[in-house]
Every structure is written in structure tokens, then in C-alpha cells.
Amino acid sequence: MAFRHRRPCSLLLVLVPLLALAVGSVADGLGDVTVFWGRNKDEGTLREACDTGAYTTVLISFLRTFGHGRYSLDLSGHPLAGVGDDIKHCQSKGILVLLSIGGPGYGGGSYSLPSAQSAADVAAYLWDAYLGGNSNTGVRRPFGDAALDGVDFYIDQGGAAHYDELAKLLYAYNKNYRGRLGVTLTATVRCAYRDPRMAAALATGLFSRVHVRLYGGDARCTDSGRYAMEKWAAEYPGSRVFVGVSAEDKHGDTSTGDLKDLYYGILQFVEKLPNYGGLMIWNRYYDKKNHFISQS
């Protein structure tokens, strides 16, 4: 399933009345809206997230352990039963569902690609366990016969080696989709340009989206959000760039503030970039709690 390139309508015309009224979903005025799901059991089900109408892409997070012959999926206590059906439900509504691999360097998990063979093994595992492969290989599919739309690289610990090879191997599976894109690759990177762990992988030109994290101390921003986004957009003109914001506290996070602050500080400038894509929200739990984007 390929990304739909929806051109966002004028944010000034859409956001100002929405901000004044503080009602309704703002997703249609922000371009595409991507959200991380799987970080807190109290965020509700994947189906509930998709049914809000606020998101066009959901990143299931995270595959926290890989690269050394061991694999571990961490969904923060969510039961696996029913997730596969929820994935199909979301896809039936036109929402893309990807698996995010890696995750923040804190909070457990162990991942890296120590060799080219390791990259090949991880690519084969992702294909057979989560993408368009099948169970005939003996690999367990945690979500049953549901096939995810791609893989997000959230590489925030370990070395940088071999992620470019992993990207090429995953993208090569698109030959199985008879002319349509079936394995979409995205990257979630630190704000500070350039993110050394993803530089070689992004240089392959195979990533449809780059989500730039403008929040949190680990993002290591050295520029304002606006200028950071302009750097990333200029460097990767073939990828759609997304403004990554935290919904943890829409009034207390000085890197983003609320939607009004976000618009006047960043979005009114970056939405004019030819490869602006939309917003990436961290994460569904905080958005549900604080109604940064979603109203439910």
C-alpha cells in the first residue's frame, strides 16, 4: 500500500478557527498525522485509535530486540489477541499501519546489526513475521495473517552499521507486490541534523517519510524547530518530512506548546516546504489524555 500524497490545505485558514473553537479533529488541516501506538496499556486498543479519525498512519511500537538472533516485541502490556484484526480494521479505513523497530535508548531493549548477515536475518524475520511473508517458514507471526504496510526505523542506540543494508533488503521485497509499493520504509530521527545512526540508511533514498523529533532532551536539537525542519527537508527532497511533537503536555512542553504555538512557531513556515508531510505525534496515550490532536 503506497502513501497517499494529500496536500494539506492552508493551515492558516483551517487552524485558526479550530484553535479558537477547540473542537473537532484537526487532522485534515495538518497534512497526514502519524501516531505511535503501543507505549501504554491505558491508551486503548489499536482499533480505538484508528476509529478516532485523527490519524492517517499508526506506528506499532516497538520491536525492541533484534540483530543477535533474538527478537522481542514490546507493546507495554497490550495483549496480542485481537491486534491482527485491529490492523485489518485500520487498513480497511485507509490507515497505514507500520511496525517501528528499535525505540528510545532508555527503557530496556537491545538491538544492533553487528554484520551484513545480521541485517539479512532481520530482514527475513520482519518479512516472515510481520510483512507479506507466510508461516510456512516456521516463523511465528504475532499478528496472525495481518500484513503490516512497512517498517519504521527508530534507531536510537548501538552502532550505525548495516541499517542501509537492512533498508535495501526490506525494500527489495516490493518485487513481490506486482508493481505497487507494499513495504514502505520510514525513519524517526533526532532533531539535530544529521542523525549519525540513520545517515547511511537515509542515503539509500528508499525512505518515504522522515519523522523529525523536535521534543525531548534525547533529540539533541541545536536549531529551532523551524530551521531543523528546513535542513532535513532540503537534505532529503525525495522523502516527505514530518514535524515530530510530543502530546505529553500540550501546555508544558516548551519545544512545541499547544497547536497554536506549534502553528505560529513552526508550521506556518514548514508547511510551505515542497516535501512537508504532516505531523508525527508521540504518542497515542498522551494524545488521548491531553487531546493534542484527537478529541477521543
Side-chain angles (χ1 to χ4, degrees):
M1 184 182 296
F3 281 118
R4 294 164 296 283
H5 292 266
R6 300 190 313 166
R7 287 298 301 164
C9 55
S10 169
L11 285 170
L12 183 59
L13 294 176
V14 174
L15 276 181
V16 170
L18 282 171
L19 291 167
L21 295 174
V23 296
S25 170
V26 299
D28 288 339
L30 298 172
D32 285 311
V33 178
T34 298
V35 69
F36 278 87
W37 177 89
R39 294 295 80 221
N40 192 304
K41 189 175 182 180
D42 292 335
E43 69 196 335
T45 66
L46 177 61
R47 180 183 296 255
E48 290 169 351
C50 291
D51 284 346
T52 64
Y55 316 116
T56 56
T57 302
V58 179
L59 304 178
I60 295 179
S61 53
F62 290 104
L63 184 71
R64 293 283 285 168
T65 300
F66 61 82
H68 300 267
R70 296 180 295 108
Y71 302 94
S72 177
L73 179 67
D74 175 12
L75 297 185
S76 304
H78 284 285
L80 286 179
V83 175
D85 287 340
D86 287 0
I87 291 170
K88 295 178 185 179
H89 174 75
C90 295
Q91 292 170 331
S92 74
K93 298 170 74 73
I95 298 170
L96 297 178
V97 187
L98 282 69
L99 175 68
S100 189
I101 65 172
Y106 56 85
S110 175
Y111 57 86
S112 65
L113 298 176
S115 66
Q117 184 59 53
S118 177
D121 291 344
V122 172
Y125 171 78
L126 290 170
W127 172 251
D128 287 328
Y130 294 102
L131 300 170
N134 58 64
S135 57
N136 293 336
T137 60
V139 175
R140 175 175 174 265
R141 291 184 66 88
F143 305 139
D145 63 354
L148 295 174
D149 297 302
V151 178
D152 174 66
F153 286 46
Y154 191 129
I155 308 305
D156 214 34
Q157 68 179 41
H162 306 296
Y163 285 105
D164 55 337
E165 296 164 73
L166 177 60
K168 292 174 184 177
L169 290 165
L170 288 172
Y171 196 85
Y173 283 115
N174 282 307
K175 67 180 181 294
N176 297 320
Y177 287 87
R178 298 182 182 180
R180 69 181 180 88
L181 193 65
V183 180
T184 295
L185 302 181
T186 68
T188 299
V189 299
R190 294 180 176 185
C191 163
Y193 177 80
R194 67 182 56 185
D195 188 329
R197 289 188 176 91
M198 283 301 298
L202 287 171
T204 65
L206 301 177
F207 288 77
S208 297
R209 297 182 174 185
V210 179
H211 311 128
V212 183
R213 290 152 46 204
L214 302 184
Y215 58 89
D218 62 338
R220 302 182 183 178
C221 287
T222 55
D223 296 297
S224 70
R226 170 189 173 182
Y227 293 114
M229 290 301 305
E230 289 175 348
K231 283 184 178 180
W232 282 100
E235 183 65 19
Y236 301 105
S239 301
R240 300 172 68 209
V241 293
F242 282 65
V243 178
V245 296
S246 173
E248 182 170 2
D249 184 347
K250 64 181 179 180
H251 298 298
D253 184 344
T254 56
S255 65
T256 56
D258 59 19
L259 276 178
K260 182 178 179 181
D261 294 333
L262 184 63
Y263 172 74
Y264 285 111
I266 299 176
L267 291 180
Q268 67 169 323
F269 304 106
V270 303
E271 62 119 0
K272 299 172 184 176
L273 298 172
N275 54 335
Y276 168 76
L279 292 185
M280 179 276 282
I281 307 296
W282 178 267
N283 51 44
R284 168 59 186 160
Y285 169 72
Y286 294 134
D287 193 26
K288 180 179 180 180
K289 178 181 178 182
N290 294 321
H291 305 299
F292 190 90
I293 292 292
S294 173
Q295 297 302 306
S296 60

